[in-house]
Amino acid sequence: MKSIGTNGTRVDMPKLAARAVFLVVFCNVLAFVVHCVNPVLMADDWYFLDVFVRKGIDGNLHFADFFVKRIASDHSEPFIKMVLLWCLRGFDLDISIEALVGVSVVLGCVLIFRFLIFSEGGNDAGQSRQLAWVTIAAILFSLNATEVWAWPLNSAQYSSYLPLPVFMWSVWRAYRDKKYLLLAVVTLILGFVSDDNAMIGVAATLTAIAFYVLARKPTEKGVLLRIVAVVLVCMLVMRIGYSHAPLVGGAPDTPLPDKLRALFDQVRHGEWYKWLITPLAWSIASRPFLPGIHDRAFEIIEYAFFGVMLFLHGWFWLRALRREWNLPIFVAVCLMLVAYGWIAGILVYRVSAFGADYFQQDRYVRQYQFELVALILMWVGSAMNSSPGAQKHRLVRWGTIACLGLVLLQIPISIAAWRVVPYKQLYFQNLARDIYRLAAHPDDARLLGNCSMQLSICGWPPEKRESLLRLLEDRRLNVFSPRVLLAHPYLLNATSSMSAASREPLLSAVQEAQDDASAENAYGSISRFLGVGRDIWPSSGIDVNALHANDVPLMLAGCWSPDGPKHHQSSWCGPDVSLILRRPADASRLIVQGSFPQNTYAQAGKSSPATLTVKVDDVPVATKTIEADGAFTIDIPTHDLPAPASHPDLTHINISSDSSFVPNRFSSSQDSRELSMKLSSVYFSTSTKDALERQ
């Protein structure tokens, strides 16, 4: 449907609407990545730090290092290593850049699919085409699985998917035009960039060709044979090259018979149905997306999605058998076979080792979603091929309803995803906190025993662990980089776990970087412009109950909110609290206010009284003994405060209690931490404020 503009020109309303929706979904995922992406090294990042980044730092990288992997069935992904090297050289190993690259790669995928949809058939099915490509954009940019965008390595892995639709298009072009040079070039690029995904893509495409031959029995079999020959020769060249990829640090792979035996055991125990439900249902929605929904209710929704997808897969293959193919249909068949190949790979290599529930990993949603892309391509390709009539009208109507439903479903999915951002940021803070602690005490058994499961270095040999942590600290990389902390200010909270000797130079560098307007700090400036950043040093004090959990400068160590992560409604803290405040030039005193649950301690059989100690820049300035329940105020005049050693305006404040922990009886929260004291506010009072108060 088109409308006439005021100047007589025609306005293509479907195109305008599609572009508007595309802009919304793109900005949504970009903003989510900026706010929720993890810049802290975790899991496989430590492996890359050890075998690849270390060489980049030392300047002895070789071409073969871009293909290093742990075992033969691992992914080489040279493009991701190039991006990682860029993160090292340009951003102090801020791996969040990988996620931004991933967004750019997905944008490339969306534009490629748009080309595939609009490259044939003139203006036929114009509205359906616009709806199809914007629905594909909504699917690929979906926040259906937050881990896809929050963990940069997951986002960057879209780079191995990007060449797949290009390769499929080049195969179809070679079949139609009988030209093979471009096919050879694209196949070589696919084999180089995508590694094992290239093998799955080639196998799926050749299977689609064979399916086409059997279903249509074309007369040009010689053309098909030449296509197969060109593809196989180019892939053989690339696989010979990949056979020389270095294998470093991996455990021996499980033999295939053992994997098949494990899968057979899952069949015997009745878990086989999970092999189908999760890959199909999670392509639509992987988590509860309605507020207040219970697990049982979402399980019903999940089965409903599974039934719908099962029906659509059946419809898909009936269409593939009965309809003449065009480019969108050919690519749809190839992509569906690729998705099946990915699911089979997860089944054999992962589910066999970790159980059927391993399909419920967020990162696999980026593979499941290509089932939906294939279904949409089949629909729009069929609409382009169908003759006008009632059958085409029904096809377009039902496809339009399904596509609009998928697009609208992204609204509650996105709302649910944005709700987890504070949780994610707190989790990243804790990762950074553990890294700081390990850097100071790499062999501390207590720390190693309570490591996050994503810090793989905790299980590594002590020499390697200490070497990598020292490398980061000495080179000021990742969480030890002031530029990284400036780009992600909430990570400053974690530095409260550092020793004073390590924290002071890092905060000095952060302050210097904050005042630096050079191009090197452009990313941090962009991040703050997009809403992540702020004035990271409070002017004179904080009201704990008014602050968002991830805004507290140098996180109140041990504080948490029993009412949820949004605000510290009841900020009960551990026995050691650290924060940074700006110290006004006319400060007349430092005031610390809070309360202590003395009766709770007495009921728990703890000793009484309790003594609080306040330190300013690691110098003890006040103590207070508390013998009963109630609020406390510690008033420290300015003449008792030490002169600033290096920062005239930044002051590190520590409040500690000599009382031991008792179980938290003030909240229904399942938080395992325990109660010490409640801190409400810490602030510098100025002469001006004192004068106003006296009036």
Side-chain angles (χ1 to χ4, degrees), residues 250-329:
D253 197 8
T254 305
L256 182 59
D258 292 344
K259 295 175 181 176
L260 297 178
R261 191 177 301 111
L263 293 176
F264 179 71
D265 288 340
Q266 292 182 28
V267 172
R268 287 195 314 155
H269 289 89
E271 294 190 334
W272 60 269
Y273 70 95
K274 297 180 182 178
W275 301 353
L276 299 175
I277 292 177
T278 302
L280 269 63
W282 278 37
S283 63
I284 300 176
S286 65
R287 289 286 187 273
F289 51 85
L290 297 176
I293 196 168
H294 298 291
D295 289 342
R296 181 60 182 170
F298 183 74
E299 186 178 344
I300 295 173
I301 295 175
E302 188 176 55
Y303 275 97
F305 286 158
F306 169 68
V308 170
M309 288 297 292
L310 205 59
F311 168 80
L312 290 176
H313 276 256
W315 168 86
F316 179 94
W317 289 112
L318 285 175
R319 281 274 164 181
L321 279 170
R322 295 177 178 178
R323 295 291 174 178
E324 184 58 38
W325 288 12
N326 53 18
L327 176 58
I329 292 178

Side-chain angles (χ1 to χ4, degrees), residues 127-180:
Q127 295 184 31
S128 299
R129 294 186 193 211
Q130 296 291 350
L131 181 58
W133 90 263
V134 80
T135 305
I136 289 175
I139 291 168
L140 294 182
F141 283 129
S142 174
L143 302 185
N144 182 15
T146 56
E147 202 65 28
V148 170
W149 303 110
W151 187 358
L153 188 59
N154 282 330
S155 308
Q157 285 179 341
Y158 276 106
S159 60
S160 64
Y161 305 162
L162 179 65
L164 289 173
V166 180
F167 168 72
M168 296 163 188
W169 164 79
S170 67
V171 170
W172 186 257
R173 177 183 178 274
Y175 172 71
R176 289 300 189 192
D177 300 341
K178 303 177 180 61
K179 296 178 181 178
Y180 311 103

Side-chain angles (χ1 to χ4, degrees), residues 65 158 174 189 308 314 325 338 365 419 421 477 501 513 621 632 639 656:
D65 293 318
Y158 276 106
I189 294 173
V308 170
W325 288 12
V338 166
V365 171
R419 289 197 189 104
V421 171
L477 299 174
V621 294
F632 65 79
H639 57 75
S656 60

Side-chain angles (χ1 to χ4, degrees), residues 574-576 596 598 601 606-614 623-627 654-661 675-677:
D576 189 28
F596 201 86
Q598 191 61 56
Y601 278 84
K606 303 295 181 179
S607 59
S608 179
T611 301
L612 302 184
T613 301
V614 179
T623 58
K624 187 175 185 67
T625 300
I626 303 175
E627 300 184 9
N654 176 273
I655 305 109
S656 60
S657 166
D658 68 346
S659 184
S660 56
F661 279 148
L675 182 65
S676 181
M677 61 180 168

